[in-house]
């Protein structure tokens, strides 16, 4: 029976991925239809597992944005590789408890291996590093904020930040990710702790403006403790100037965290590492393997070159856990993470690294850069203006005949999506300039899918041309 169910699940996943190119990238499910599917579920009348799984598979196939489609040029959701999917099944099947070394020596050491291996490749001075696997970039960013906060004011760990003689403040660009707002709120600092720095015309943090703001804030009695360098801004792909930021952070005595959730992967490609130069100079960083390393969702990484920061925030000794084994120093994940019980999310990263190898990993990254170069070259001759400047493979562009027209670009995006062959989104570059955003996320995307996108853009523009703006 169990074997048959495994077979059913494996077949459903294989079939889904095999059918992917022919599916409409964004199905138009209405909320009523989706809820109607769930009306068939009733715990008072249990279903046999086969039927229950079949209903779930039907729902997932029909009612989701197929981000693994080669025509998805979207928000960093990659196609999960087969090895990543299998790794998640293994993690569930063996279900190691990643809270403590004693419960899962192999899994804990395997995650430490992942952290050291990535850190070394990214230029951190392994083994003088520490890190933790996270649910994603948001948790890694929160971890960085907390590490910086208690590094700066160790006594706040016991007394809380209310004993400080001012508001702890952090500095990030206007293009930075909104998870920092959540992190500031969860840390009890509040929205006002976020100091937003303007960007230059390449959507990179303006370092002169940052340095002026820091000085003015200090005069006002605010307490700067953290600069966030964004490496691959979500909308525009902007990369903050990390070498200048780390020099300034050192002079100011504040922590530098590189939010390299998506863009950091470029450092794993020898051809493109220069695009994210200076990543290794940050005190800590966020990297999301579930973005550009093609593993299924639920895999983020926090890394730091300042060992001790994690334990300062998360260390605690409960009464009910067996003592750590004596001997070589070991990682106790529950003492180094906001999570306690935790799944083996490092396994899908480990199996990806050891089967693809550095060459395979870099190959997928390089492909995205090559595709972006092709699209960047193809757009201007067809009457599109490229309006972002980034070395990373995300392109924002406007219709040259109606630049600045928000409604027009909304209609173009909707028109492309409606045809079902490609998915792009609308972005406001620099906070105000409406643009169509296409990001290379899928290692199965080819030049042919770029041609389809260009064709559907043209159709949308022609169809919308006569409409009043
Ligand atoms: C995606 C992203 C995040 C949030 O990461 P999640 O994995 O979605 O929690 C934070 N910062 C940047 C720059 C990102 O690209």
């Amino acid at each position: 029976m169990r074997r048959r169910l495994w077979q059913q699940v494996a077949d459903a996943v294989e079939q889904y991925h095999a059918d992917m190119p022919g599916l409409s990238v964004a199905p138009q499910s209405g909320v009523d239809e989706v809820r109607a599917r769930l009306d068939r579920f009733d715990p008072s009348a249990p279903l046999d597992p086969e039927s229950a799984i079949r209903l779930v598979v039907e729902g997932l196939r029909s009612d989701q944005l197929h981000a693994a489609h080669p025509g998805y040029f979207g928000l960093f959701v990659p196609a999960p590789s087969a090895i990543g999917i299998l790794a998640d099944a293994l993690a569930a099947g063996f279900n190691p408890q990643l809270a403590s070394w004693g419960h899962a020596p192999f899994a804990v050491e395997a995650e430490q291996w992942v952290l050291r291996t990535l850190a070394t490749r990214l230029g951190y001075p392994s083994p003088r590093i520490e890190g933790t696997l996270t649910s994603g970039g948001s948790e890694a960013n929160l971890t960085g904020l907390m590490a910086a906060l208690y590094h700066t004011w160790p006594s706040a760990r016991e007394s809380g930040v209310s004993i400080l003689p001012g508001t702890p403040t952090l500095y990030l660009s206007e293009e930075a990710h909104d998870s920092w707002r959540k992190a500031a709120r969860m840390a009890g600092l509040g929205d006002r702790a976020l100091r937003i720095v303007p960007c230059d015309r390449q959507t990179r943090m303006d370092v002169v403006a940052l340095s002026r703001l820091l000085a003015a804030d200090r005069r006002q009695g605010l307490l700067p403790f953290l600069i966030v360098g964004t490496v691959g801004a979500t909308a525009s792909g902007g990369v903050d100037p990390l070498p200048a930021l780390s020099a300034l952070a050192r002079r100011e005595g504040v922590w530098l965290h590189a939010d390299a959730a998506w863009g950091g992967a470029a450092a794993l490609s020898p051809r493109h590492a220069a695009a994210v130069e200076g990543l290794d100079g940050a005190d800590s960083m966020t990297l999301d393997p579930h973005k550009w390393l093609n593993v299924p969702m639920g895999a983020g990484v926090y890394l730091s070159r300042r060992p001790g920061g994690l334990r300062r925030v998360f260390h605690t000794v409960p009464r009910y856990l067996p003592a750590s084994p004596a001997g070589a120093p070991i990682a106790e994940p529950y003492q180094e993470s906001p999570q306690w019980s935790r799944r083996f999310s490092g396994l899908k990263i480990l199996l990806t690294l050891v089967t693809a190898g550095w060459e395979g990993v870099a190959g997928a990254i390089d492909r995205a850069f090559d595709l972006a170069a092709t699209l960047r070259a193809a757009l201007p001759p067809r009457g599109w203006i490229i309006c972002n400047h980034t070395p990373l493979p995300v392109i924002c562009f406007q219709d040259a005949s109606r630049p600045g027209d928000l409604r027009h670009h909304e209609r173009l995006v909707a028109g492309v999506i409606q045809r079902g062959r490609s998915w792009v989104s609308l972005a406001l570059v620099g906070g105000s300039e409406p643009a169509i955003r296409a990001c290379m996320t899928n290692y199965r995307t080819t030049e042919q899918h770029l041609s389809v996108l260009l064709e559907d853009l043209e159709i949308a523009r022609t169809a919308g041309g006569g409409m009043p703006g």
Side-chain angles (χ1 to χ4, degrees):
M1 173 67 176
R2 268 217 303 278
R3 272 181 198 279
R4 217 173 59 226
L5 295 176
W6 271 104
Q7 197 55 52
Q8 182 191 357
V9 168
D11 289 347
V13 172
E14 286 298 320
Q15 195 63 49
Y16 174 57
H17 284 273
D19 294 347
M20 188 74 70
L23 301 178
S24 171
V25 189
Q28 311 289 321
S29 331
V31 65
D32 292 337
E33 280 164 72
V34 179
R35 288 186 184 157
R37 284 185 189 283
L38 296 167
D39 286 343
R40 316 203 358 224
F41 296 138
D42 178 3
S44 330
L47 299 166
D48 65 278
E50 225 169 319
S51 320
I53 291 169
R54 187 163 28 77
L55 290 172
V56 167
V57 167
E58 282 169 15
L60 287 170
R61 263 191 80 113
S62 153
D63 303 334
Q64 74 169 344
L65 183 60
H66 303 299
H69 191 289
Y72 172 79
F73 298 96
L75 299 162
F76 309 143
V77 185
S81 64
I83 196 78
I85 297 168
L86 293 167
D88 254 1
L90 280 170
F94 285 83
N95 203 33
Q97 165 58 293
L98 263 289
S100 89
W101 195 96
H103 273 57
F106 176 78
V108 172
E109 290 297 331
E111 287 198 344
Q112 293 299 310
W113 181 92
V114 165
L115 294 168
R116 279 196 311 274
T117 302
L118 285 175
T120 308
R121 188 74 176 182
L122 293 165
Y124 266 10
S126 175
R128 292 280 303 150
I129 60 109
E130 68 175 8
T132 177
L133 273 292
T134 67
S135 56
S138 302
E139 184 192 332
N141 286 347
L142 173 65
T143 301
L145 185 151
M146 298 308 299
L149 187 65
Y150 291 148
H151 164 82
T152 312
W153 297 288
S155 62
R157 159 173 154 156
E158 194 175 333
S159 313
V161 291
S162 62
I163 57 144
L164 301 178
T167 306
T169 48
L170 58 145
Y171 296 77
L172 62 174
S173 93
E174 55 194 354
E175 297 276 315
H177 195 270
D178 271 316
S179 54
W180 290 100
R181 188 169 299 279
K182 293 190 187 183
R185 290 178 189 167
M186 285 190 278
L189 303 180
D191 286 359
R192 278 201 214 140
L194 300 175
R195 308 292 288 157
I196 309 295
V197 184
C199 286
D200 64 14
R201 301 197 35 164
Q202 303 193 15
T203 57
R204 298 180 304 192
M205 194 194 283
D206 179 338
V207 184
V208 174
L210 167 64
S211 135
R212 287 207 192 103
L213 185 60
L214 276 164
D217 282 359
R218 286 200 197 276
R219 281 195 299 275
Q220 300 284 320
L222 300 180
L223 305 175
F225 74 100
L226 169 64
I227 297 170
V228 175
T230 300
V231 180
T234 309
S236 62
V239 177
D240 287 346
L242 292 176
L245 290 183
S246 66
L248 181 65
R250 263 199 305 278
R251 270 203 311 280
E252 293 280 342
V254 302
W255 185 287
L256 175 65
H257 181 92
D259 183 0
W262 169 63
L268 302 175
S269 152
R271 258 177 68 199
H272 294 289
V276 296
E277 181 203 0
L279 193 58
D280 53 350
D283 296 293
S284 56
M285 70 168 92
T286 291
L287 178 74
D288 253 354
H290 69 195
K291 296 241 172 94
W292 206 346
L293 296 190
N294 308 302
V295 303
M297 225 76 75
V301 166
Y302 167 84
L303 285 173
S304 171
R305 53 188 299 153
R306 290 179 176 269
L310 288 175
R311 287 194 179 216
R312 196 177 288 117
V313 183
F314 300 115
H315 181 266
T316 162
V317 184
R319 295 178 177 189
Y320 45 81
L321 276 179
S324 310
I330 52 150
E332 278 295 11
Y334 78 92
Q335 294 177 342
E336 296 163 20
S337 160
Q339 297 190 48
W340 206 285
S341 297
R342 186 163 64 74
R343 82 186 257 111
F344 188 11
S345 57
L347 180 58
K348 48 197 163 193
I349 307 169
L350 179 142
L351 282 178
T352 297
L353 295 178
V354 302
T355 57
W358 291 127
E359 225 178 292
V361 169
I365 290 161
D366 292 348
R367 251 205 92 53
F369 277 94
D370 291 347
L371 285 169
T374 304
L375 185 59
R376 248 184 222 116
L379 286 165
R382 290 171 172 77
W384 304 96
I385 304 169
I386 293 176
C387 46
N388 69 330
H389 302 268
T390 174
L392 298 176
V394 53
I395 302 162
C396 299
F397 53 98
Q398 295 182 324
D399 183 352
S401 67
R402 297 168 82 168
D405 184 338
L406 174 63
R407 297 289 305 282
H408 177 60
H409 288 88
E410 279 172 353
R411 275 197 302 270
L412 293 180
V413 167
V416 168
I417 291 175
Q418 203 197 351
R419 290 185 59 76
R421 306 195 293 176
S422 308
W423 198 91
V424 287
S425 55
L426 189 92
L428 296 177
V429 176
S432 59
E433 200 61 22
I436 300 169
R437 175 188 177 284
C439 181
M440 309 299 133
T441 62
N442 188 329
Y443 60 93
R444 295 198 192 99
T445 302
T446 65
E447 275 73 12
Q448 186 204 330
H449 301 103
L450 295 182
S451 304
V452 169
L453 171 62
L454 289 166
E455 197 179 305
D456 285 355
L457 281 165
E458 200 47 53
I459 291 169
R461 176 158 64 178
T462 310
M467 285 170 152

